[in-house]
Each structure stands twice: as C-alpha cells, then as structure tokens.
C-alpha cells in the first residue's frame, strides 16, 4: 500500500510537471514579424514629426531672432528720435548723408550750452548714427543697424508734425516702422 501511494504520488508529480511544461510552452508567446513591423510603423509616425519639430525649434529660430532684433531696433530707434523731437526747440532738415538735427536747451539749467542731436547715415557700415553734441564734446550712438541705403530713413516735418519712417533689411526681409510726433520745434 505504501508502495502504491508512492507510485501514485510519483505519477501525480510527473503529470503536474508535464502540465507545467505544457502550460509554459503555451503561455510563451513571441512577437511575429508583422507585429514588429506595425510597431515600427507606429513608432516612426510619432518620431518623424517630433524630429521635424525639434529641428525647427533648434535650427530655424535664428532667422526669427534676427527679425525680432531688427524690429526691436526699429522701435528703439524711433523712440530715441521721437524723444529728441519732443524736447527740441528747433528742427533742421538735412541732406545726404544727414537726415536732420534737433536743438534744445536743458530746462533745469538754461545757462548750459545747447544740445544738438544730428542724425546721419553711415554708408560704410549701413547704420543710422546720432551725434549728440554739448558745447565741444560729442557722443556718437548707433541708433539702427541694417539700413540698406540713405533712402531707408525718412524724417519730414509738416504742419508741426514730424513723421519718422525707418526701414531695415535682415536676411532678405525688409522691415519698416513709422511714427509721428507733434513738435514744438521751429523748423529751420
């Protein structure tokens, strides 16, 4: 009887072992070639647009940055000219390479020498420059870069209104910024 129980247990163990092997073989599933190809296709549909977007954000913004810098330069240049125009007592229209000059006296200390702001075009480096003179000292400031030629800057006075038009070119794109200022200045 003992022997039979052992043989029964041994057969039971073999059967369990065979069942486990059979289940393990049935449970192991691999990927078929079609499943791998479909996975690669789905993955490429995700990665390709992301790579194009990364390229656009990493390599193309330099043109956008250049254009932004030019537009910012145009606004700042216009603001500088408008500030001089608002405080000017006299306005003198210039001729090539000078655009215009503004003259004013310090309101806090009128005994000080007059300020003279002269705007002119520098063809050697395509810039709009401003010379601010007080007595015998002069300070030159670059107001705007990327000015293609003298005609890209306009300062005209009509009926007490100064119209300022600035144009700059960067990467083949032409950007223009204009504004008008009421002047208390007398035209010379």
């Amino acid at each position: 009887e003992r022997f039979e129980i052992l043989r029964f247990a041994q057969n039971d163990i073999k059967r369990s072992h065979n069942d486990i092997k059979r289940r393990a073989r049935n449970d192991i599933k691999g990927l078929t070639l079609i499943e791998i190809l479909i996975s690669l296709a789905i993955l490429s549909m995700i990665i390709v647009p992301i790579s194009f977007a990364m390229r656009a954000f990493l390599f193309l913004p330099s043109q956008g940055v250049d254009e932004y810098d030019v537009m910012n330069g145009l606004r700042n240049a216009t603001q500088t000219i408008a500030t001089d125009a608002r405080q000017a007592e006299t306005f003198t229209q210039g001729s090539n390479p000078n655009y215009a000059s503004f003259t004013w006296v310090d309101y806090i200390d009128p005994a000080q020498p007059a300020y003279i702001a002269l705007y002119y075009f520098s063809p050697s480096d395509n810039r709009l420059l401003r010379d601010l003179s007080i007595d015998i000292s002069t300070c030159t400031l670059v107001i705007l870069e990327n000015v293609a030629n003298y005609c890209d800057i306009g300062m005209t006075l009509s009926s007490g209104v100064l119209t300022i038009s600035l144009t700059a070119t960067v990467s083949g794109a032409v950007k223009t910024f204009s504004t008008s200022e009421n002047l208390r200045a007398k035209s010379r």
Side-chain angles (χ1 to χ4, degrees):
E1 190 176 304
R2 257 187 179 179
F3 185 64
E4 219 164 287
I5 292 176
L6 283 175
R7 200 167 52 175
F8 179 73
Q10 190 177 19
N11 285 342
D12 196 34
I13 290 173
K14 281 183 183 178
R15 237 179 297 139
S16 295
H17 183 66
N18 287 339
D19 283 347
I20 291 172
K21 279 184 179 179
R22 189 180 71 241
R23 281 191 202 136
R25 268 185 273 152
N26 289 341
D27 288 344
I28 296 176
K29 291 186 177 182
L31 295 174
T32 65
L33 182 60
I34 292 175
E35 291 171 330
I36 291 172
L37 291 175
I38 290 172
S39 300
L40 287 174
I42 291 171
L43 189 61
S44 68
M45 287 190 307
I46 294 169
I47 290 178
V48 168
I50 289 174
S51 67
F52 281 118
M54 294 280 290
R55 181 177 177 271
F57 286 119
L58 295 176
F59 299 114
L60 298 180
S62 64
Q63 181 180 2
V65 169
D66 289 345
E67 289 182 22
Y68 172 79
D69 287 345
V70 167
M71 286 304 294
N72 198 32
L74 287 167
R75 277 190 293 276
N76 289 339
T78 304
Q79 184 178 11
T80 301
I81 297 168
T83 300
D84 286 351
R86 280 191 296 271
Q87 59 192 0
E89 293 173 355
T90 62
F91 169 80
T92 305
Q93 188 73 47
S95 60
N96 194 351
N98 299 337
Y99 292 107
S101 65
F102 301 96
T103 307
W104 68 92
V105 176
D106 189 348
Y107 296 110
I108 296 171
D109 187 4
Q112 291 288 333
Y115 290 84
I116 301 169
L118 172 66
Y119 289 88
Y120 61 96
F121 176 64
S122 173
S124 62
D125 51 6
N126 293 344
R127 292 178 172 176
L128 170 62
L129 301 175
R130 171 187 180 237
D131 281 350
L132 182 61
S133 301
I134 306 166
D135 202 14
I136 59 170
S137 60
T138 300
C139 173
T140 301
L141 178 66
V142 175
I143 299 297
L144 182 62
E145 296 183 352
N146 302 312
V147 179
N149 59 51
Y150 179 81
C151 298
D152 284 349
I153 306 295
M155 291 184 219
T156 55
L157 183 63
S158 176
S159 303
V161 176
L162 176 68
T163 302
I164 305 163
S165 176
L166 308 176
T167 302
T169 305
V170 63
S171 303
V174 177
K175 302 293 180 185
T176 301
F177 198 83
S178 299
T179 190
S180 296
E181 281 296 320
N182 289 322
L183 294 183
R184 64 181 188 93
K186 300 173 191 115
S187 179
R188 284 191 185 173

